[in-house]
Each structure stands twice: as structure tokens, then as C-alpha cells.
Amino acid sequence: IEHGWACVNEPGQLSICNQVCGNGVLTVAEECDDGNVVDHDGCTGCTIDSGWSCAMNTVTRFSTCQEVCGNGLRTQMEECDDGNNLLDDGCEECRVQYGWTCSEPGATPPNVTGQSICNENCMDGIRTISEECDDGDPITPNDGCTSTCTTEPGWVCVDRDITRQSRCFEVCGNGARTCELLASPLLP
């Protein structure tokens, strides 16, 4: 009997042989064999799971499987997978970036979902790359930063500190009444 095969012998009949999946021996009909029968670990039923890549480990001879980041299939160890490896798009190295939310539309195989869709969290107090400002205050009007994370006319917004929360200041000389009154020489 060849390694990786099991045969049943009935007296007076031909042997019935089948490949053994899960024994760690990669045979011709197997895409992978990781030496176990655990489902959704990259190699299920000696077939490579969606969103995974497997290669034979030359030391153990078992298939070693890892999730493929950036292929658009979020697997169990990934927080997100938006189908690319771009920076500052909400999903970086299959981890959700600070100030972003990512979701997946519907499941395909078990433990694998579709491509992540990532959106910036406007008004969470964390300015992200496409936001002009984000002061974390969606309620107060005329504070320099709109509820859509754009800078109001006559204002300038800067990041407060490493948290990237915006702090906005009115620009004098812009015709805004409060700023012009404060700068007026008629006031005591």
C-alpha cells in the first residue's frame, strides 16, 4: 500500500483503495493535506478554502495554510479585506484603520464573507484622509467643522494632537461679524 492510501481487502475480491485525507500526506487528488480534519482552517476535506493559500511544508510534509490578505474575501482572522493592499482606505493589512468602519455584504462559504466596504466615521473626532476636519461634534452649528466633515467658510481647522481630532478657529478679516466686532477699535 502506498503512503497516503488506505485499502480494504475482501477475500476473493480486488482491493478497494482510497486516498486518506487529513493524514498529512499530500497525494495526487488532494489540493492540500494539513494533517487534520478541522474545517475552515485553510484546508477542508483536502481542498483549499476560499480566501486561503496552502503550500507543502518541506520539513513536516504537511500543507501549511494562511489567509490571503487583499483578495476581497474576509476570513476568520481578518478584520476586513477590501480586495487591495492600498494605504489609507480603511482596511490596511486586513485590519480596520482607526477612524473607519468596515462591513461585508453577505456570506459565501462558512466563515468567509464578501469584499469589505470601508467608510470613514465622520464626526467621531478622528480626521481621516478625505475629511477636511472632524471635531467630533455633530450638534453644534457654526463651530468651523460641518456635520459632513468639511471646513466652514471663514474658518481654519487643524489637528489637535495625535488623536487627529480637529480644532477650528475663525479667520479674522473674513467678514464674519463676531470676528470683525472683536477686532473693532470701537470696542473698549
Side-chain angles (χ1 to χ4, degrees):
I1 299 174
E2 290 182 51
H3 197 56
W5 291 80
C7 297
V8 176
N9 297 317
E10 294 290 329
Q13 295 186 6
L14 294 174
S15 297
I16 300 171
C17 298
N18 294 303
Q19 294 178 354
V20 178
C21 178
N23 64 349
V25 178
L26 189 63
T27 56
V28 177
E30 296 175 330
E31 291 180 9
C32 57
D33 194 327
D34 57 1
N36 67 57
V37 292
V38 176
D39 288 346
H40 313 298
D41 65 347
C43 181
T44 302
C46 292
T47 302
I48 299 172
D49 293 329
S50 294
W52 292 75
S53 172
C54 299
M56 187 176 70
N57 184 311
T58 56
V59 176
T60 65
R61 308 289 294 166
F62 291 178
S63 296
T64 303
C65 301
Q66 62 185 18
E67 295 164 305
V68 178
C69 179
N71 65 350
L73 296 172
R74 189 181 68 78
T75 54
Q76 55 193 341
M77 297 301 290
E78 297 173 330
E79 292 178 8
C80 58
D81 193 326
D82 60 357
N84 67 61
N85 290 310
L86 300 175
L87 301 177
D88 295 321
D89 67 350
C91 182
E92 189 172 318
E93 295 179 4
C94 292
R95 300 285 177 245
V96 178
Q97 290 180 273
Y98 190 59
W100 292 74
T101 302
C102 297
S103 61
E104 292 78 31
T108 44
N111 294 331
V112 177
T113 60
Q115 183 170 324
S116 300
I117 298 169
C118 301
N119 296 297
E120 295 162 303
N121 299 327
C122 179
M123 287 292 114
D124 64 349
I126 304 162
R127 189 188 57 77
T128 54
I129 194 141
S130 69
E131 294 174 335
E132 291 178 13
C133 59
D134 191 333
D135 63 1
D137 181 7
I139 299 169
T140 307
N142 303 316
D143 65 352
C145 186
T146 69
S147 62
T148 58
C149 293
T150 56
T151 305
E152 293 181 44
W155 290 77
V156 64
C157 298
V158 295
D159 290 348
R160 183 175 293 201
D161 52 28
I162 60 169
T163 64
R164 298 178 73 174
Q165 183 175 12
S166 298
R167 184 166 182 197
C168 300
F169 303 93
E170 246 182 318
V171 177
C172 280
N174 65 357
R177 184 180 177 121
T178 55
C179 188
E180 299 302 343
L181 283 175
L182 293 174
S184 171
L186 301 175
L187 292 175

